[in-house]
């Protein structure tokens, strides 16, 4: 909905727009220490609730650590999506608070790299990572369902995990399916970059936010695991694509994020979603469409 004020300026604000207090908190899970990691996550949830945070996003595989040595090692620390601990965490949440956390999921004999969305009423959604990075392919089974848009008390959350974000079709697809905000639990291994530049994954997230005029919350992890350092690139990005909030000594980035469906209107004649010409883009998603792979 738009309106015009007496000066002629156009107001694209959604009348249902609202602000959400968001925290993305880096953790340093101990590889294979399920009990210890669960206690660390619970402490982060309790702190967020005490601080009035409405949306808490925690890292990928926060329950298990990342560099798991094969499926058996992963199975030893995996949890089913209905594990009692998730109900315990939900019981800590006020009615308008949501937590998103990455976990190592056991589904029968199958192990997934998954993300859980929790509210006061319990589990609101579970997503199994579709795009597996490098050695993840030797540990986990890739999900087979499109990244979900989860209905929550805060709005519609689009859920993706780490490497998923590097496929532009994913954040754009979630925006087109009505997501109000994207949440990305991640573990970004540190890579070289020019001095003074942001991490490449952060640049991709900024571009995705701006391209679809949708806020994106990326929560990385901290420290070093198996001798390999992490980027510690946790970032909160509003719909304009520019990061907000500063990380504190505990690895927390806090910010107020505006959820405004009118943000896609970037001018009196332009809307980043409505201006699409999908009839011209078919080859982008077509099977085997890239000449580079022929």
């Amino acid at each position: 909905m738009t309106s015009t004020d007496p000066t002629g300026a156009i107001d694209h604000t959604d009348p249902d727009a609202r602000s959400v207090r968001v925290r993305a908190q880096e953790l340093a899970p101990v590889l294979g220490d399920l009990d210890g990691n669960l206690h660390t996550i619970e402490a982060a949830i309790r702190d967020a609730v005490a601080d009035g945070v409405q949306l808490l996003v925690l890292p990928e595989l926060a329950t298990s650590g990342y560099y798991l040595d094969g499926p058996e090692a992963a199975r030893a620390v995996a949890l089913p999506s209905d594990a009692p601990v998730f109900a315990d965490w939900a019981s800590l949440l006020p009615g308008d608070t949501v937590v998103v956390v990455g976990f190592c999921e056991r589904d029968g004999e199958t192990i997934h790299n998954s993300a859980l969305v929790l509210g006061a009423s319990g589990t609101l959604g579970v997503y199994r990572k579709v795009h597996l990075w490098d050695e993840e392919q030797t540990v986990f089974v890739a999900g087979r369902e499109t990244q979900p848009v989860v209905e929550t008390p805060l709005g519609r959350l689009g859920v993706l995990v780490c490497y998923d974000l590097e496929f532009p079709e994913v954040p754009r697809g979630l925006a087109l399916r009505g997501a109000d905000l994207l949440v990305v639990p991640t573990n970004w291994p540190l890579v070289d970059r020019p001095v003074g530049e942001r991490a490449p994954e952060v640049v991709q997230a900024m571009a995705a936010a701006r391209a679809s005029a949708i806020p994106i919350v990326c929560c990385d992890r901290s420290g070093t695991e198996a001798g390999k350092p992490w980027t510690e690139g946790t970032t909160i990005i509003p719909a304009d694509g520019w990061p907000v909030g500063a990380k504190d000594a505990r690895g927390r980035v806090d910010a107020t994020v505006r959820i405004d469906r009118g943000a896609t209107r970037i001018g009196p004649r332009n809307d980043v979603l409505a201006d699409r010409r999908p009839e011209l883009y078919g080859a982008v998603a077509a099977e085997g469409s890239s000449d580079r792979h022929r």
Side-chain angles (χ1 to χ4, degrees), residues 20-27 40-49 53-59 93 96-102 116-118 154 157 183 185 217 219 252-254:
V20 176
R21 296 185 64 182
V22 178
R23 171 176 292 171
Q25 181 167 351
E26 292 176 359
L27 303 177
T40 297
I41 293 167
E42 181 174 323
I45 292 172
R46 289 182 179 276
D47 284 348
V49 170
V53 171
Q54 294 171 283
L55 173 62
L56 173 66
V57 184
L58 298 173
L93 304 180
D96 66 344
T97 302
V98 175
V99 174
V100 181
V101 58
L116 182 79
V117 182
L118 278 177
L154 305 177
L157 301 189
V183 288
V217 181
C219 186
R252 305 179 302 186
V253 179
D254 286 12

Side-chain angles (χ1 to χ4, degrees), residues 203-294:
V203 174
Q204 288 173 309
M206 292 168 61
R210 190 170 182 86
S212 294
I214 189 169
I216 300 180
V217 181
C218 302
C219 186
D220 200 2
R221 61 159 293 171
S222 61
T224 299
E225 185 180 273
K228 301 172 185 178
W230 301 103
T231 298
E232 301 184 0
T234 293
T235 311
I236 298 175
I237 309 167
D240 62 6
W242 297 110
V244 294
K247 192 188 305 180
D248 68 14
R250 296 173 59 185
R252 305 179 302 186
V253 179
D254 286 12
T256 298
V257 173
R258 187 169 177 80
I259 293 178
D260 180 3
R261 294 180 185 175
T264 61
R265 295 294 304 274
I266 59 173
R269 297 179 179 85
N270 294 101
D271 184 302
V272 296
L273 298 185
D275 289 347
R276 295 169 60 252
R277 296 286 304 279
E279 73 276 11
L280 304 179
Y281 312 150
V284 174
E287 182 95 20
S289 62
S290 173
D291 289 337
R292 294 179 62 184
H293 296 286
R294 290 177 181 169

Side-chain angles (χ1 to χ4, degrees), residues 96-119:
D96 66 344
T97 302
V98 175
V99 174
V100 181
V101 58
F103 75 109
C104 182
E105 182 191 1
R106 182 178 71 246
D107 179 32
E109 291 301 305
T110 303
I111 306 298
H112 297 284
N113 181 341
S114 298
L116 182 79
V117 182
L118 278 177

Side-chain angles (χ1 to χ4, degrees), residues 5-271:
D5 70 20
T7 68
I10 295 179
D11 176 12
H12 302 296
T13 303
D14 175 1
D16 296 323
R18 58 203 177 281
S19 295
V20 176
R21 296 185 64 182
V22 178
R23 171 176 292 171
Q25 181 167 351
E26 292 176 359
L27 303 177
V30 177
L31 188 62
D33 182 8
L34 178 60
D35 289 343
N37 294 334
L38 296 181
H39 281 105
T40 297
I41 293 167
E42 181 174 323
I45 292 172
R46 289 182 179 276
D47 284 348
V49 170
D51 291 342
V53 171
Q54 294 171 283
L55 173 62
L56 173 66
V57 184
L58 298 173
E60 177 183 14
L61 294 173
T63 60
S64 62
Y66 183 82
Y67 289 109
L68 295 161
D69 188 19
E72 290 307 314
R75 195 169 287 113
V77 291
L79 296 167
S81 61
D82 60 354
V85 68
F86 298 146
D88 292 342
W89 293 345
S91 72
L92 302 175
L93 304 180
D96 66 344
T97 302
V98 175
V99 174
V100 181
V101 58
F103 75 109
C104 182
E105 182 191 1
R106 182 178 71 246
D107 179 32
E109 291 301 305
T110 303
I111 306 298
H112 297 284
N113 181 341
S114 298
L116 182 79
V117 182
L118 278 177
S121 63
T123 297
L124 303 177
V126 175
Y127 166 61
R128 294 167 174 173
K129 187 177 180 180
V130 167
H131 301 98
L132 299 180
W133 173 257
D134 197 21
E135 292 184 7
E136 290 177 36
Q137 298 176 32
T138 69
V139 178
F140 303 106
V141 173
R144 299 179 61 85
E145 296 183 3
T146 304
Q147 294 78 19
V149 176
V150 180
E151 295 282 354
T152 80
L154 305 177
R156 302 169 183 167
L157 301 189
V159 185
L160 54 160
V161 175
C162 201
Y163 188 36
D164 290 329
L165 184 61
E166 301 193 32
F167 295 82
E169 302 89 341
V170 174
R172 172 52 64 87
L174 287 164
L176 289 171
R177 288 191 284 120
D180 295 317
L181 182 149
L182 305 186
V183 288
V184 194
T186 188
N187 285 179
W188 287 331
L190 184 64
V191 296
D192 291 337
R193 62 180 185 266
V195 175
E197 293 288 349
R198 291 183 168 94
E201 299 91 344
V202 173
V203 174
Q204 288 173 309
M206 292 168 61
R210 190 170 182 86
S212 294
I214 189 169
I216 300 180
V217 181
C218 302
C219 186
D220 200 2
R221 61 159 293 171
S222 61
T224 299
E225 185 180 273
K228 301 172 185 178
W230 301 103
T231 298
E232 301 184 0
T234 293
T235 311
I236 298 175
I237 309 167
D240 62 6
W242 297 110
V244 294
K247 192 188 305 180
D248 68 14
R250 296 173 59 185
R252 305 179 302 186
V253 179
D254 286 12
T256 298
V257 173
R258 187 169 177 80
I259 293 178
D260 180 3
R261 294 180 185 175
T264 61
R265 295 294 304 274
I266 59 173
R269 297 179 179 85
N270 294 101
D271 184 302

